[in-house]
Amino acid sequence: MTTPARIAGLPPAFYRVGAFVISLIFIALIVLISGASPVTVIGSMVGGAFGNADQIGRVIATLSPLLLCAAGLVYTFNAGLYNLGVEGQITFGAIAATWLLRVVYPEGATASLLPPPLAIALAIVVGGIGGVLWGLLAGALHVYGRISEIFAGLGLNFAATGIAIYLIFGPWKRPGVASLSGTQPFDESLWLGTFGNTEATPVALGLGLLALAFTIIVMRNTYFGLRLRAVGRNLRAAYVLGVPARRQLLSAFFICGLFAGVAGALQVVGMFHRLIPNISSNLGFLGLLVVMLVNFDPLWILPVAFFFSALNIGSLQLPLSFGLESSLAGVIQGLLVLFALIGHGLAQKYGRKPGE
Amino acid sequence: MKVELHHIHKHFGNVHANDDVSLTVEAGTIHGLLGENGAGKSTLVKILSGFITRDSGEIILDGRPAHIQSPADALRYGIGMLHQDPLDFPPLTVVENFMAGSLATPALLNARAAERTFSALCRQFNFDIDPQARVGDLTVGERQQLEIVRLLANGAGTLILDEPTTGISASQKTLLFDALRRLAREGKSIIFVSHKLEDVEELCDCVTVMRRGRVVGELTLRDTPTKRAADGQPAGKHVNVAARIVEMMFGKELAMPVKPATHQDEVILTLDGLILRNDRLEMSIEHLSVQRGEVIGIAGLEGSGQQLFLLTCAGLERPAGGSIRVGERDLTHKPYADFVKAGVCYLPADRLRDGLISGLTIQEHVALRMSGKGIFIDRAAAAKEAERAIATFNIRGQPDTTVERLSGGNQQRTQLALMPSPLNVLLMEHPTRGLDIESTLWVWQQLIARCNQGTAIVFASSDLDEIVQYSDRVIVFSGGRISPPIAASELTADSLGHMIGGRF
């Protein structure tokens, strides 16, 4: 194919920025069509995300598990795996954490059997183990069963959600009435502490940032990260060069499952304080988007994840102030991602290579 | 149908895959198309069958120019191609496949009528296929038969068969050849692409040999019926055909050995009763022992099992039987990691697919080789080592150059630079393919230096000169058999040609 000379050979950043500008134009057009002014809509969304402490708290409460999921997905993506099972790994981590809390604070008891901080810490650990189990299950199906990790992951997502719903309506149902709103909330002593009266918890934010920092170091500075990239880019050649490929793949599933499971546990102890059917709140899928947008490079995850968290919370304001559908936020997100990917593709295809 | 190809050119990037190729296949003949991998024969038949569009040149069918741009075009002109791997739908039944591949597209399918047509055609050729069987359960030979019947039902006047005798049984081969002869008698033309000289000799009326994108020779093996009638001569087989074909494929004179003696007394690689098997091939090798510093060259037409043999010796494929020993260590059925530990290294022919990792830099490859020494990458050491490798191996690139941006020769130099040291056994495919003369000499200089340090080398190459120049002993792979090793100094072009042609 011949390239139009006008758009070829420019610096790669040009294509990315250009795509972003075009996506903003599209978004403005769509907002105009739906009968509002783009400027006021954006203003309202910014206000919705950062207007008061509550709203900022909510943004941070969304950001924390998102960071964990995105950090975990860096490993699987770099190993060349599309781990769509991350949702199920969150859910199963949440189930495991709920199980532990029900054991240490049985129904009808008046106090936790363990000191609450220890119980919460244990719940997070057990949540991580649950996520690891679910991740390794997908990994084993992929590595030993030769099933596409996409299908294995999606299948296990359904299974995890199914188990959650069964538990909510069956063995773990609220005394008296089972309901979609979830299990009986835990005693407040088992709730994770928050920043003031907001929804954000320091522990979750800390764990998210820690996971991200850990991931950046692993991917940039360790042999493990290098081997992971080698396996992801060319499994066969990496194996011939002496990289234990299966172990690398399973390790990627292990770490991603661990981070996702911890995120699931945090949703339970920090956010909802009970198990609900949609405990993952689609954070796993959002994490996939974030990692794809940053081209699997963990360094850029924090700003992008923050942006998406703010967008999600800010858009809750739309129906209130303008009577606009809040699904408009989904459209905006979709357009941003779509154009970012187009910009990335163009930059790779036509962008000037270093040294040319 | 008479097929004429005139002055076909096709480029893939810098590669001139078909360079002014002309070919005429008379109606009623079986025409063999021979050549090494990469000779351009696949490209040529894919152009004729519409899978690839040509850059320039003409296709003339029965005297009329044809405009073939897609496989559907080709089939409408009556050209049907049988691919090496059957292009069918394994989950569907035979008759469903037959209907799915039909040019006629009625609004409603008539499975019964299709089955009748199918069975009638099968009877003509003594093919015995259950129309209701699932295609996935058929053998390769039966799938081939299904494909032939399908193409004939679509009115094919020319059949192209790409390596049709790999993976089918002897009786299926007889059936196939009978069917092809019958079709030729009916006036159809057959183009038979193959590596196997014995099949070509047995079946074909004429052969065209290609090398490096060009036609290098044509040979009439049997007088065609029309010519026979005109000359009034009986059909006769030309003698010593295989040797002449091999000569055309590889060139006439062999180079002289140039390698100094490097072998030591100690035996480093021992193979005993090794049986190699995959879905296409089965071979066995009774005994082979290779000494330290020795170079064994593997000759043979490509696809005769050389790769399977090398992969097995490297521990990347499991032998179906027999034993592999490196030094005193028995490595039979041991994992690849144990082979690596025993000092075995494999350098694949397809460097970017099997040997190097696109997207990673030279320095990252070096670091990958250092992997296992601690947790954190020692960047300073990796950078120093990469600089050293680039200088020693004269790689035209920087430590931060990603390998896919290197030229083929520099990729090969990088592969060589990544070889561990010390090294006991080095297994290579086409060590100098795609390299210029200077690089080739340089690569062998490095390899001989390794031999002096006690490394045994086993390499496969399609360049007979390279094999004779640099091997101490040569083994030949042909048609599922492996010859005993022969000293390179005792080889002649003639004896090697005979062996490659399958006569040990």
Side-chain angles (χ1 to χ4, degrees), chain A residues 240, chain B residues 268-269 290-298 309-311 313-314 326 339 342-348 369 393 412 415-429 431 443-444 446-451 454-460:
Chain A
V240 170
Chain B
I268 187 68
L269 175 69
V290 186
Q291 288 155 306
R292 276 194 183 279
E294 195 181 16
V295 179
I296 303 275
I298 303 178
F309 173 74
L310 291 173
L311 288 173
C313 292
V326 173
F339 280 76
V344 178
C345 177
Y346 164 69
L347 293 194
R369 271 295 193 197
F393 287 83
Q412 184 69 339
Q415 278 208 94
L416 292 171
L418 289 173
M419 287 192 307
S421 198
L423 189 59
N424 288 325
V425 179
L426 176 59
L427 305 152
M428 290 191 290
E429 290 167 1
V443 164
W444 274 107
Q446 301 300 311
L447 292 173
I448 290 168
R450 284 280 185 160
C451 289
T455 305
I457 297 181
V458 182
F459 78 101

Side-chain angles (χ1 to χ4, degrees), chain B residues 152-337:
Chain B
L152 291 176
N154 281 326
T158 296
L159 279 186
I160 304 167
L161 297 96
D162 190 3
E163 298 285 347
T165 57
T166 12
I168 69 173
S169 69
S171 60
Q172 283 172 338
K173 190 166 119 179
T174 316
L175 218 53
L176 173 71
F177 283 11
D178 286 346
L180 294 179
R181 289 197 189 99
R182 185 194 160 108
L183 289 170
R185 274 201 303 278
E186 286 172 6
K188 300 195 192 301
S189 47
I190 315 279
I191 299 176
F192 188 86
V193 182
S194 183
H195 274 134
K196 291 188 187 159
L197 294 182
E198 47 186 53
D199 292 346
V200 171
E201 261 186 293
E202 186 184 336
L203 185 70
C204 296
D205 301 311
C206 322
V207 262
T208 296
V209 180
M210 291 184 70
R211 188 170 59 189
R212 288 177 197 147
R214 306 185 69 106
V215 170
V216 290
E218 304 211 12
L219 208 59
T220 307
L221 306 190
R222 262 174 221 89
D223 296 328
T224 53
T226 40
K227 203 174 161 217
R228 258 195 318 263
D231 297 354
Q233 282 172 355
K237 213 164 131 180
H238 292 262
V239 278
N240 208 5
V241 168
R244 286 186 59 192
I245 294 175
V246 169
E247 193 182 288
M248 284 196 274
M249 286 171 73
F250 294 102
K252 280 176 192 161
E253 291 293 324
L254 284 180
M256 296 298 289
V258 297
K259 181 184 156 294
T262 51
H263 65 273
Q264 303 162 12
D265 287 339
E266 190 192 341
V267 169
I268 187 68
L269 175 69
T270 317
L271 309 175
D272 270 304
L274 201 62
I275 300 171
L276 311 167
R277 190 183 297 149
N278 63 14
D279 30 330
R280 295 195 179 284
L281 289 162
E282 169 150 0
M283 307 174 289
S284 63
I285 193 162
E286 199 137 299
H287 175 81
L288 179 70
S289 54
V290 186
Q291 288 155 306
R292 276 194 183 279
E294 195 181 16
V295 179
I296 303 275
I298 303 178
L301 297 172
E302 223 163 284
S304 305
Q306 297 96 321
Q307 187 177 46
L308 179 61
F309 173 74
L310 291 173
L311 288 173
T312 308
C313 292
L316 288 160
E317 288 281 345
R318 299 206 150 194
S323 71
I324 302 171
R325 268 181 299 147
V326 173
E328 294 300 306
R329 255 186 278 197
D330 187 352
L331 290 174
T332 319
H333 295 297
K334 290 278 163 47
Y336 174 64

